[in-house]
Amino acid sequence: MPGWTNDDQASAWPAFLASCKAIGRQRQWADVCAAASLLGARPSTPQVRSFFEQHLVPWQSFGPGRTATGLVTGYYEPLIKGSRTRSAQHPWPVHAPPEDMLTIDLSSVYPDFKNLRLRGRLEGNRVVPYWSRAELAQRQDKLPLPVLFWASDPIDLFFLQVQGSGRIELPDGSQARIGYADQNGHPYQSIGRWLISQGQLSADKASMEGIKQWARDNPSRLAEMLNSNPSYVFFRELPASNSGPIGALGVPVSEGRSIAIDPAHVPLGAPVFLATSWPLSERPLNRLVMAQDTGGAIKGPVRVDFFWGFGAKAGAEAGRMRQQGQVWVLLPRGSTPSEMLKKP
């Protein structure tokens, strides 16, 4: 694994202990996490490196045709402006999950469906797909669709949905934290790709900042652009905390040491060694990270979303990151990837 001996693995130790809070109850991880607890909260880098080398084995992930490299993007925890009450300055709703949306779980009968987000609604005696983003915009006042907050900017709200969690700065200067609660079941479609296909942006300009600038320059086409992505994320309010946002594993993600992965290919909670490069450069970014989150656009065995942290600086790095990378999943000795991907 390139750069393994140069990484400061001790910086990843708190994230690994957080993972153990979730996966330590699984049979395959119980002994490893018990041994980790004996090292304490602040072991040295040589101790951490030795621990992983002693207890875990790296398995490299490959894509179709044994492709070793895949796409590495970035995400972050944004801060947007909003209010708990609707006003002319805050007209855009931040929704909690709708009361009429059904969650369809067929995994006990069809195991291949366990990682699919199946959401629907009743239409007579039939279950049909839940409303798309465009349909929600048209019908939201007629649906049992709770509102948590009201945002001041629709494009900031859209990117908060893409990130899956964030903070809202209220008019009095205080902040509220929200996290992913559910999704409408429609597949994520990139608005950047839509803009490229429409001839509105070149590929090198289709970054988060480039998309925001296009939205400011083309307000009459804002709804058309947003609705090109039928996926819609619903939120829940979280307690105030200085830790990172809660990922799909159920633990806070860590700046620079957590990633989102496809749980169909990488066990959620597992340590991962990522070999990639810094945004817009060839400078190596090789480090131990934890698979603690998922995302609608993160599909495949060599597809990673790197968590940069909170705020504008993190957002700038995340928005620029579109690198190639390789992935090694670190699993307990004696286990195999296929075994670890089964339900414990």
Side-chain angles (χ1 to χ4, degrees):
M1 297 185 294
W4 170 256
T5 57
N6 297 324
D7 184 30
D8 176 20
Q9 285 94 352
S11 296
W13 190 248
F16 178 62
L17 294 182
S19 274
C20 274
K21 292 179 180 178
I23 64 175
R25 297 183 294 271
Q26 298 177 16
R27 172 180 54 82
Q28 301 96 330
W29 286 104
D31 290 345
V32 175
C33 288
S37 67
L38 298 178
L39 275 185
R42 296 173 181 251
S44 66
T45 292
Q47 286 176 307
V48 174
R49 188 178 301 148
S50 176
F51 174 88
F52 284 110
E53 291 173 355
Q54 178 183 350
H55 292 279
L56 304 177
V57 173
W59 296 74
Q60 187 168 9
S61 290
F62 291 93
R66 295 216 24 107
T67 304
T69 59
L71 179 63
V72 181
T73 51
Y75 73 114
Y76 74 111
E77 186 182 22
L79 176 67
I80 71 170
K81 294 184 180 297
S83 173
R84 293 188 183 274
T85 56
R86 188 175 192 172
S87 68
Q89 292 76 33
H90 305 99
W92 304 95
V94 181
H95 287 298
E99 297 168 6
D100 64 338
M101 187 172 71
L102 304 175
T103 299
I104 304 164
D105 185 359
L106 303 177
S107 60
S108 61
V109 180
Y110 301 103
D112 290 344
F113 290 174
K114 71 176 183 178
N115 292 310
L116 294 180
R117 291 187 177 95
L118 299 176
R119 301 292 185 267
R121 58 185 176 84
L122 285 177
E123 192 172 86
N125 62 353
R126 297 171 58 240
V127 176
V128 297
Y130 201 71
W131 306 112
S132 68
R133 175 182 293 273
E135 292 166 334
L136 283 167
Q138 294 170 356
R139 294 172 169 84
Q140 61 178 304
D141 292 337
K142 302 175 184 178
L143 297 175
L145 203 55
V147 178
L148 296 174
F149 297 92
W150 297 90
S152 64
D153 185 276
I155 194 70
D156 284 346
L157 175 57
F158 177 87
F159 277 108
L160 187 146
Q161 289 187 313
V162 172
Q163 303 307 315
S165 62
R167 304 183 198 182
I168 297 179
E169 183 178 319
L170 302 174
D172 64 0
S174 64
Q175 293 182 10
R177 170 172 268 173
I178 58 175
Y180 175 93
D182 214 329
Q183 187 254 5
N184 66 345
H186 288 259
Y188 172 85
Q189 301 291 335
S190 167
I191 60 173
R193 288 200 189 103
W194 181 84
L195 288 167
I196 293 169
S197 71
Q198 295 286 308
Q200 297 297 306
L201 287 179
S202 59
D204 63 315
K205 299 293 185 182
S207 63
M208 182 169 61
E209 286 307 314
I211 293 169
K212 286 184 176 183
Q213 186 60 52
W214 185 91
R216 288 190 287 267
D217 294 340
N218 297 272
S220 65
R221 298 192 68 185
L222 176 63
E224 181 186 5
M225 179 188 71
L226 296 180
N227 291 337
S228 70
N229 173 30
S231 174
Y232 195 94
V233 170
F234 305 105
F235 292 100
R236 59 193 173 104
E237 186 171 1
L238 300 173
S241 169
N242 291 325
S243 60
I246 304 298
L249 186 63
V251 302
V253 293
S254 299
E255 177 181 333
R257 292 291 175 171
S258 294
I259 58 172
I261 47 80
D262 183 348
H265 298 280
V266 176
L268 195 59
V272 171
F273 190 76
L274 174 64
T276 185
S277 54
W278 288 79
L280 303 179
S281 80
E282 297 181 359
R283 182 160 63 103
L285 177 60
N286 303 328
R287 62 175 60 176
L288 180 66
V289 292
M290 304 298 146
Q292 295 175 326
D293 210 353
T294 60
I298 312 304
K299 300 297 180 186
V302 196
R303 176 69 176 94
V304 167
D305 214 15
F306 183 90
F307 180 63
W308 282 96
F310 168 72
K313 184 177 179 181
E317 295 286 15
R320 291 191 291 260
M321 191 168 198
R322 193 173 179 85
Q323 313 300 109
Q324 291 294 301
Q326 295 178 293
V327 168
W328 287 262
V329 184
L330 278 58
L331 300 178
R333 290 190 177 275
S335 63
T336 65
S338 58
E339 174 192 3
M340 297 297 293
L341 288 169
K342 294 178 182 178
K343 287 188 175 181

